[in-house]
Every structure is written in C-alpha cells, then in structure tokens.
Amino acid sequence: METTFIYSLSDPITGEIRYIGKANNPKKRILDHVRENKTSNRSHKISWIKSLIVKDLLPIVEIVDEVPKLDWEFWEQYWISQFKYWGFNLTNISPGGYNNNYKRTTET
C-alpha cells in the first residue's frame, strides 16, 4: 500500500501550528510554500510565511499522520477540521482535498 503524509507547519517563534497539508515529501513541500511567497497570489498562509522569511526563519514541518495515498483527501480534511476544533488558528483557506468544491471569495 502506497502512503503519503499529512503534515503541519508551525511558527518557529511561537510553536503554534498554522497550516495542515498533504505531501509525498513534506521536507520538499516546504520549498514549494516558500516559492509561493514570490508569486502574486496572496493568502494568509503566504503572508505568514513571508513574515517569517524576512526574519530569516522558515516554518517547522512535522508529520501529523501517514495515510494511504488513495485516502489522503479524507485524512487531510479530517486533520484540518480536528486542529480547528482544538482551537488552532490555521491559515488553511479550504477544508482540504481537491474535490471539496471550495471557492475563494474576494475577501479570501
């Protein structure tokens, strides 16, 4: 069974978990998040990462769960909702997964 990872990004100053995502290679995925900082796309996550980069810091990547690749969308959605339930102020703008029918609003 092939697996993938659900990971968190934490603030290196406060230790607070700020983002939950899925990646086959979470250490490599952080580089994608850093590159997003250089695009014209703006989101709370990108602004947060940019605020760390100007301080020569990067988010801390930690594995939350290793899940079957075929079920990753369910588990990403589960973990995002679980961390929000626990009171974490996540920067995720969608509930997770590809097929969640989430539409960005102008406010987002």
Side-chain angles (χ1 to χ4, degrees):
M1 169 181 66
E2 282 190 82
T3 61
T4 191
F5 301 95
I6 305 300
Y7 67 94
S8 67
L9 296 181
S10 300
D11 190 298
I13 298 167
T14 66
E16 181 183 11
I17 294 171
R18 299 302 313 276
Y19 182 82
I20 302 294
K22 171 262 181 191
N24 296 328
N25 182 340
K27 301 278 188 211
K28 182 179 174 291
R29 180 67 177 104
I30 186 66
L31 298 176
D32 295 333
H33 286 298
V34 170
R35 277 188 228 116
E36 285 177 338
N37 172 56
K38 297 175 183 175
T39 69
S40 61
N41 294 334
R42 293 291 174 246
S43 71
H44 191 66
K45 177 192 72 177
I46 290 171
S47 295
W48 168 64
I49 292 174
K50 186 176 186 172
S51 76
L52 295 176
I53 290 171
V54 299
K55 298 174 188 171
D56 285 332
L57 297 171
L58 290 176
I60 298 167
V61 181
E62 295 181 281
I63 303 301
V64 172
D65 202 357
E66 184 173 1
V67 300
K69 234 179 194 176
L70 293 175
D71 298 327
W72 76 265
E73 290 180 278
F74 168 83
W75 288 110
E76 183 183 44
Q77 291 172 8
Y78 168 80
W79 283 112
I80 289 170
S81 68
Q82 187 65 52
F83 276 90
K84 285 183 176 183
Y85 176 78
W86 287 334
F88 287 90
N89 183 23
L90 299 182
T91 60
N92 294 72
I93 61 167
S94 82
Y98 286 136
N99 300 316
N100 58 43
N101 296 321
Y102 182 82
K103 303 286 187 247
R104 283 189 188 195
T105 63
T106 306
E107 291 174 0
T108 305

